[in-house]
């Protein structure tokens, strides 16, 4: 969709939907929202809906960062500790490597 | 029109010539031009128990290193310190494959694997002995705790180290030639003492194991379904015990307490490498003696069975004993559950046997290499008083058949033996028992549980000029004479122990011909008359494909080992009676489960001709020999209790070994960076071409029609 052809109020609706959609464990939606509306929020000349769009974009960015931080932390802990968790570690692993503890 | 047909003719001729040329070309794949594959399948693999992983494994993608043939101490220094073409994979002669050298190499970062040459192994390669086992085999699982007596002095526990590198053994001369004359000599061997530089010849060893850490982990993972499929990481070690009882007491008669004499030996051994499990003294001497004894004793079976007060004699061949007494501990477990021997629900079953029924326990351990020309009787010190008469009788019968027995002076412990399992259960001094061995104190067998425990080490080999297999099959050897004497004495002893009557050596004489045949079949070639006679016609082809003796390693529980089946067959033949039958009805028909029926290929009608199959009825049974730790009805086994064996074997996909040339790291980096630079330059160039396309490619307005051949129009 080309945002240039969308009306300003529709842009706000779209940005808002993406922001809300991200709450159902869809951090990529926030990431896409932040990228897609970045220009609208920060680089376009001011218009009525821009303030709200900017707010949603910033919130989406924060959400993305929190998610990335959380995922990176979990992956790191999981990779380092999986072996020492024993049975619990195995039961939450999708692929168990061959030849390693 | 004429020109067209000439063109067509020329084209067809061309196609014909081209196709002819192509058929002459032998296309060669690049893989085949790079690698020389070796045949060896004899790799060291990984085993796991409750606490450890032991043995070897390569990385999942294999381990590669420059070949270095180790001949002097300088080579050790070169590989471990000074050489510049590291990492290395040293090639060792059999004589250098000692625990200290292997551990030293395996622990170095500069060593990626080891290859050992094992062509035509003889015991003279390692005069100080070699054993892959610990100095106290099965330590911690017997009746005596601790390792106060180093029974296996040659053992330094090489297999029980977690080596974490691949180790291969080369048994084919062709493989050795490939690695030494086509790889080491032309490319890696120093010239005038000067080490070679890259490119050098390397070897890749691929033996990646699936399982890791310990048995509990790998069994648990094998039971998980995480990625929508089941991956088996490891399997419990185990097989079947072979048992037979002389009196075949049916389930409707009572079996009095203390009325069964157990006479046992062990079947399995191990070594470092897949396919190399010879076990001549470790177990074959015991197996052959016990089979010969059974045949001798069965001559008076009718008499013994007819005596109301006589004791029953149970022959037992235990599997998996080398790995913390798997077979005997499982038999005892079944006994305690009151379901030994196992029955399937026929009207008449064999009366069950329990610990309380066992009157005495006689075990044959290694009996081939007699210390001071005598056999040695090891007695549980706490049961010593009850065995005085027993030992005296055995000595007496021994003297009559040229076999000397003496009591071992080791007062406080028994050697590793299946008896340990039963003593642990019986309690102090309540089971009269002894173990017959060839060693007074520590093992005389310097190759216990090793790939050098071969026929020549026990004097069961043949004179150099005897090459005819028929002659070898029937030849008396020093070992066969000794075994015959021992078997005769033991048969007489068992007859006395069962009935209280005396016998003459003639009545219970073991047959030296049988002993010769068994030694040949187990140690030299399974493609022999005895095995061919006893085997079922269905398995004849499989048997005759094997030129090498069958391995004595217990392996995993999924199928019955060839050695176990053959012992079962030979025992059935020795102790059975021929009954009328055909392939279809040679089985239990009268619902009397005490008996087994074996359909055997039988004797040859004419020499070298077809065979006349026969049906043998006997009381030989197989009983499960999987550790109770893995039994179906075992719940919440405490893995660290050391009560039962927990050994498992890791699975693997492939054993591969191949040689090829490798360049230096520097050269490899150069090639890669050249490629990357070329890629970047061409990208930049194409970007530039694209950007300047208007200038570079001027449109001339030439139509495509120009390209059409005017001759066609």
């Amino acid at each position: 969709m080309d945002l240039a052809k969308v009306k300003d109020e529709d842009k706000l609706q779209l940005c808002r939907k993406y922001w809300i959609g991200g709450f159902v464990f869809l951090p990529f939606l926030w990431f896409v929202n932040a990228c897609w509306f970045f220009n609208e929020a920060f680089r376009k000349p001011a218009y009525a809906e821009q303030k709200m769009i900017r707010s949603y974009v910033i919130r989406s960015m924060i959400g993305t960062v929190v998610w990335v931080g959380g995922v990176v932390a979990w992956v790191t802990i999981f990779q380092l500790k999986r072996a020492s968790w024993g049975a619990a570690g195995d039961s939450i692993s999708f692929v168990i490597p061959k030849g390693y503890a | 029109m004429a020109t067209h047909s000439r063109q067509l003719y020329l084209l067809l001729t061309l196609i014909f010539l081209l196709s002819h040329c192509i058929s002459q070309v032998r296309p060669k794949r690049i893989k085949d031009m790079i690698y020389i594959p070796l045949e060896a399948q004899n790799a060291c693999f990984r085993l796991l128990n409750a606490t450890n992983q032991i043995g070897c494994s390569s990385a999942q993608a294999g381990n590669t290193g420059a070949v270095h043939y180790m001949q002097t101490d300088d080579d050790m220094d070169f590989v471990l310190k000074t050489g510049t073409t590291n990492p290395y994979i040293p090639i060792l002669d059999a004589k250098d494959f000692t625990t200290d050298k292997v551990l030293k190499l395996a622990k170095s970062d500069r060593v990626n694997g080891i290859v050992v040459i094992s062509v035509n192994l003889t015991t003279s390669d390692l005069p100080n002995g070699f054993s892959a086992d610990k100095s106290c085999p099965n330590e911690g699982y017997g009746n005596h705790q601790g390792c106060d007596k180093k029974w296996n002095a040659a053992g330094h526990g090489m297999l029980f180290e977690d080596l974490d590198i691949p180790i291969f053994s080369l048994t084919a001369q062709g493989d050795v030639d490939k690695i030494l004359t086509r790889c080491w000599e032309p490319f890696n061997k120093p010239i005038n003492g000067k080490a070679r530089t890259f490119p050098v010849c390397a070897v890749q060893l691929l033996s990646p194991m699936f399982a890791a850490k310990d048995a509990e982990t790998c069994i648990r993972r094998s039971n998980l379904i995480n990625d929508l499929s089941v991956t088996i990481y490891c399997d419990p070690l185990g097989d079947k015990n072979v048992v037979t009882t002389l009196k075949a007491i049916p389930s409707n008669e009572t079996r009095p307490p203390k009325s069964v004499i157990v006479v046992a030996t062990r079947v399995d051994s191990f070594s470092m490498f897949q396919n190399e499990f010879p076990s001549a003294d470790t177990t074959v001497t015991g197996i052959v003696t016990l089979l010969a004894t059974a045949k001798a004793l069965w001559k008076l079976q009718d008499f013994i069975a007819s005596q109301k007060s006589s004791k029953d004699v149970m022959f037992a061949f235990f599997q998996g004993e080398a790995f913390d007494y798997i077979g005997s501990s499982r038999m005892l477990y079944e006994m305690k559950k009151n379901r030994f021997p196992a029955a399937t629900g026929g009207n008449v079953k064999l009366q069950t046997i329990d610990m309380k029924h066992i009157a005495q326990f006689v075990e044959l351990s290694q009996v081939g290499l007699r210390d001071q020309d005598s056999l040695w009787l090891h007695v549980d010190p706490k049961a010593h008083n009850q065995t005085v008469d027993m030992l005296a009788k055995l000595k007496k019968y021994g003297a009559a058949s040229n076999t000397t027995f003496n009591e071992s002076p080791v007062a406080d412990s028994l050697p590793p033996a299946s008896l340990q399992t039963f003593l642990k259960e019986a309690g102090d001094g309540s089971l009269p028992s002894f173990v017959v061995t060839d060693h007074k104190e520590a093992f005389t067998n310097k190759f216990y549980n090793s790939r050098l425990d071969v026929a020549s080490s026990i004097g069961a080999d043949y004179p150099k000029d005897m090459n005819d297999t028929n002659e070898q099959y029937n030849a008396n050897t020093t070992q066969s004479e000794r075994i015959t004497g021992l078997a005769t004495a033991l048969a007489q002893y068992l007859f006395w122990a069962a009935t209280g009557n005396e016998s003459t050596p003639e009545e219970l004489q073991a047959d030296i011909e049988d002993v010769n045949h068994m030694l040949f079949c187990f140690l030299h070639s399974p493609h022999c008359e005895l095995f061919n006679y006893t085997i079922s016609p269905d398995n004849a082809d499989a048997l005759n494909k094997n030129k090498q003796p069958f391995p004595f390693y217990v392996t995993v529980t999924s199928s019955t080992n060839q050695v176990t089946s053959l012992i079962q067959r030979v025992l059935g033949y020795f102790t059975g009676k021929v009954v009328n039958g055909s392939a279809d009805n040679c089985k239990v028909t009268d619902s009397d489960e005490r008996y087994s029926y074996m359909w055997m290929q039988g004797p040859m009608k004419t020499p070298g001709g077809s065979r006349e199959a026969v049906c043998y009825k006997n009381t030989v049974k197989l009983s499960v020999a999987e550790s109770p730790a893995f039994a179906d009805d075992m719940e919440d086994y405490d893995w660290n209790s050391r009560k039962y064996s927990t050994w498992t074997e890791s699975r693997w996909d492939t054993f591969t070994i191949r040689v090829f040339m490798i360049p230096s790291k520097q050269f490899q980096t150069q090639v890669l960076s050249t490629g990357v630079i070329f890629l970047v330059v061409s990208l930049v160039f194409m970007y530039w071409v694209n950007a300047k396309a208007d200038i570079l490619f001027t449109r001339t307005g030439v139509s495509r029609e120009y390209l059409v051949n005017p001759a066609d129009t």
Side-chain angles (χ1 to χ4, degrees), chain A residues 59-76:
Chain A
R59 284 189 240 172
S60 293
M61 281 175 175
I62 293 167
T64 308
V65 169
V66 168
W67 261 97
V68 168
V71 168
V72 167
W74 167 247
V75 169
T76 311

Side-chain angles (χ1 to χ4, degrees), chain B residues 260-263 358-362 390 431-434 493 496-497:
Chain B
V260 179
I261 300 159
V262 179
V263 49
I358 300 178
Q360 55 170 288
F361 195 107
V362 179
M390 293 158 58
L431 179 60
S433 52
F434 58 88
Y493 170 81
W496 166 78

Side-chain angles (χ1 to χ4, degrees), chain B residues 699-708:
Chain B
R699 277 181 181 273
T700 55
V702 176
S703 72
R704 287 184 64 79
E705 278 81 348
Y706 179 77
L707 296 169
V708 177

Side-chain angles (χ1 to χ4, degrees), chain B residues 381-691:
Chain B
K382 297 190 187 84
H384 191 266
N385 290 340
Q386 303 167 54
T387 56
V388 175
D389 288 350
M390 293 158 58
L391 303 187
K393 277 288 177 200
L394 184 60
K395 284 181 194 169
K396 184 188 133 193
Y397 295 128
S401 50
N402 214 3
T403 306
T404 318
F405 293 99
N406 277 297
E407 279 169 60
S408 165
V410 179
D412 52 351
S413 65
L414 277 175
S418 311
L419 173 59
Q420 301 259 7
T421 308
F422 288 84
L423 286 178
K424 205 159 83 171
E425 177 67 25
D428 283 348
S430 61
L431 179 60
S433 52
F434 58 88
V435 183
V436 184
T437 74
D438 56 8
H439 52 91
K440 184 179 177 186
E441 297 192 22
F443 295 168
T444 43
N445 179 8
K446 289 190 285 186
F447 303 99
Y448 177 81
N449 281 351
S450 91
R451 71 196 201 287
L452 289 121
D453 192 9
V454 291
S456 60
S457 71
I458 58 162
D461 51 341
Y462 306 106
K464 283 262 182 299
D465 54 351
M466 188 189 285
N467 292 317
D468 180 43
T469 49
N470 248 332
E471 233 178 295
Q472 291 178 344
Y473 179 66
N474 290 306
N476 285 6
T477 58
T478 41
Q479 192 55 250
S480 67
E481 281 160 13
R482 289 175 155 198
I483 286 179
T484 310
L486 171 58
T488 308
L490 193 61
Q492 280 189 275
Y493 170 81
L494 292 170
F495 181 74
W496 166 78
T499 61
N501 292 357
E502 296 291 336
S503 60
T504 62
E506 289 73 34
E507 283 175 296
L508 290 169
Q509 177 66 43
D511 190 347
I512 190 164
E513 283 191 9
D514 290 328
V515 175
N516 291 337
H517 297 168
M518 286 189 280
L519 286 174
F520 179 86
C521 296
F522 281 118
L523 294 174
H524 295 277
S525 167
H527 179 31
C528 64
E529 177 55 27
L530 176 67
F531 285 177
N532 267 305
Y533 185 110
T534 56
I535 200 160
S536 131
D538 299 340
N539 295 329
D541 287 343
L543 175 74
N544 290 325
K545 272 184 203 145
N546 282 281
K547 297 286 170 277
Q548 297 298 315
F550 285 118
F552 283 84
Y553 169 60
V554 58
T555 71
V556 296
T557 44
S558 50
S559 64
T560 305
N561 287 1
Q562 293 107 333
V563 165
T564 308
S565 300
L566 289 166
I567 290 173
Q568 179 197 12
R569 290 299 225 181
V570 172
L571 187 61
Y573 167 54
F574 280 175
T575 63
K577 289 188 174 81
V578 178
V579 292
N580 287 332
S582 64
D584 293 330
N585 66 14
C586 185
K587 60 189 176 200
V588 181
T589 49
D590 48 4
S591 74
D592 187 349
E593 270 190 24
R594 291 177 297 162
Y595 298 104
S596 302
Y597 294 81
M598 294 179 191
W599 185 238
M600 297 185 185
Q601 278 209 106
M604 278 188 280
K605 285 180 199 155
T606 52
S610 61
R611 291 174 182 275
E612 194 167 5
V614 281
C615 184
Y616 272 81
K617 178 187 180 186
N618 54 60
T619 55
V620 180
K621 305 258 177 208
L622 293 182
S623 82
V624 60
E626 181 183 47
S627 168
F630 302 108
D632 292 336
D633 58 351
M634 171 63 77
E635 278 167 18
D636 298 328
Y637 176 66
D638 176 5
W639 289 82
N640 294 312
S641 66
R642 291 172 81 89
K643 195 171 178 202
Y644 299 119
S645 168
T646 50
W647 285 108
T648 59
E649 180 189 293
S650 171
R651 287 206 178 178
W652 64 84
D653 263 339
T654 177
F655 286 157
T656 307
I657 168 169
R658 54 190 187 178
V659 294
F660 56 101
M661 298 298 294
I662 49 164
S664 65
K665 280 272 177 306
Q666 192 192 357
F667 182 78
Q668 291 178 31
T669 320
Q670 273 172 13
V671 170
L672 182 68
S673 22
T674 312
V676 171
I677 290 167
F678 184 78
L679 176 73
V680 170
V681 167
S682 50
L683 283 175
V684 170
F685 177 73
M686 285 314 293
Y687 180 80
W688 179 80
V689 167
N690 195 34

Side-chain angles (χ1 to χ4, degrees), chain B residues 30 45 207 210 287 332 334 343 356 363 420 436 470 511:
Chain B
I30 291 182
F45 48 89
S207 61
F210 289 7
I287 296 168
L332 193 59
E334 297 294 310
K356 65 175 182 288
E363 179 163 352
Q420 301 259 7
V436 184
N470 248 332
D511 190 347

